[in-house]
Amino acid sequence: MVAGRPREFDYDKALDQAIRVFWQKGYEGASLPDLTDAMGINRPSLYSAFGNKEELFRKALERYSKNSADWARALLAAPKIRDAVENFLMGSAEAFACKENPRGCLSVQGALVGGEDSASVCLEAKNRRQVVMGVLQERFDRAIADGEFPDATDTAELARFYSTIVQGMSVQSIGAASCSELKAIAQRALLALPAK
């Protein structure tokens, strides 16, 4: 049996470059030439390693979503719930406005809307947005167990509220809202935390 030729590119680095293209241009706006140029590979290599454009987007979104969930868990790890939520909101403001990455969030603007051909990737992006909401709900459940929230707190509703705030901050950042403006939104959102 003859072994296939080894890859001549770094899979992870190429996927990271695809993430940036989808993040900047969205699923529908990212062309195959945009992707292959950024990834430093040709079309046959893209198809061989990642599948078609939709499969590449799913892989990019999966990686981005896992990194986002890990990042959110780290920010929410503070012992006190107010500190945890403040870390999460302020960290989001800084991330959305930072100059090293595209503004906003891949799972929000990458495939928020699209035509019929991209309905499945829009659904995938929606499902990925639910991941961080689940991380928030886990932390809010812990706040109830720790006695920081009333027992009757609807943690699913609270997680949806804070997810909506962060997604709104993402959209605002794309419209050139400054980091300080995003942090002001975050400070206002902190007032909505339940009191024991």
Side-chain angles (χ1 to χ4, degrees):
M1 177 184 257
V2 177
R5 287 180 49 198
R7 280 194 190 126
E8 296 178 8
F9 65 92
D10 184 312
Y11 181 94
D12 291 328
K13 285 183 183 175
L15 186 56
D16 287 341
Q17 291 306 313
I19 288 171
R20 290 186 72 82
V21 172
F22 286 128
W23 196 344
Q24 289 170 324
K25 298 188 174 205
Y27 174 75
E28 288 193 344
S31 69
L32 283 174
D34 292 334
L35 291 162
T36 55
D37 287 350
M39 296 167 78
I41 60 177
N42 58 29
R43 279 191 195 203
S45 293
L46 186 149
Y47 293 133
S48 173
F50 300 100
N52 62 20
K53 178 182 169 183
E54 182 176 332
E55 290 171 27
L56 174 61
F57 182 76
R58 287 177 188 278
K59 288 174 181 167
L61 200 54
E62 179 180 1
R63 183 182 184 100
Y64 179 88
S65 178
K66 182 194 179 309
N67 291 341
S68 295
D70 291 346
W71 179 81
R73 280 189 188 91
L75 292 174
L76 290 165
K80 296 290 184 190
I81 189 61
R82 189 186 190 289
D83 294 337
V85 175
E86 184 173 15
N87 290 346
F88 175 70
L89 292 172
M90 296 301 174
S92 295
E94 290 170 6
F96 294 150
C98 85
K99 305 221 183 322
E100 290 80 38
N101 291 318
R103 285 190 161 244
C105 169
L106 171 63
S107 62
V108 172
Q109 74 242 29
L112 191 57
V113 294
E116 286 183 25
D117 292 344
S118 60
S120 66
V121 295
C122 289
L123 179 60
E124 181 74 19
K126 176 189 170 199
N127 292 338
R128 293 297 176 173
R129 288 191 297 272
Q130 305 287 333
V131 172
V132 170
M133 194 178 338
V135 171
L136 281 165
Q137 186 172 354
E138 287 170 13
R139 184 60 184 91
F140 294 148
D141 288 341
R142 192 174 112 206
I144 291 176
D146 291 346
E148 293 189 272
F149 283 169
D151 291 343
T153 301
D154 185 336
T155 58
E157 179 183 279
L158 196 60
R160 183 171 297 283
F161 171 78
Y162 280 103
S163 292
T164 301
I165 294 295
V166 169
Q167 290 168 15
M169 289 167 60
S170 169
V171 172
Q172 289 288 316
S173 76
I174 296 163
S178 69
C179 191
S180 61
E181 289 170 325
L182 297 177
K183 285 184 174 183
I185 294 167
Q187 285 292 345
R188 178 69 59 179
L190 284 170
L191 300 176
L193 281 171
K196 179 75 175 178

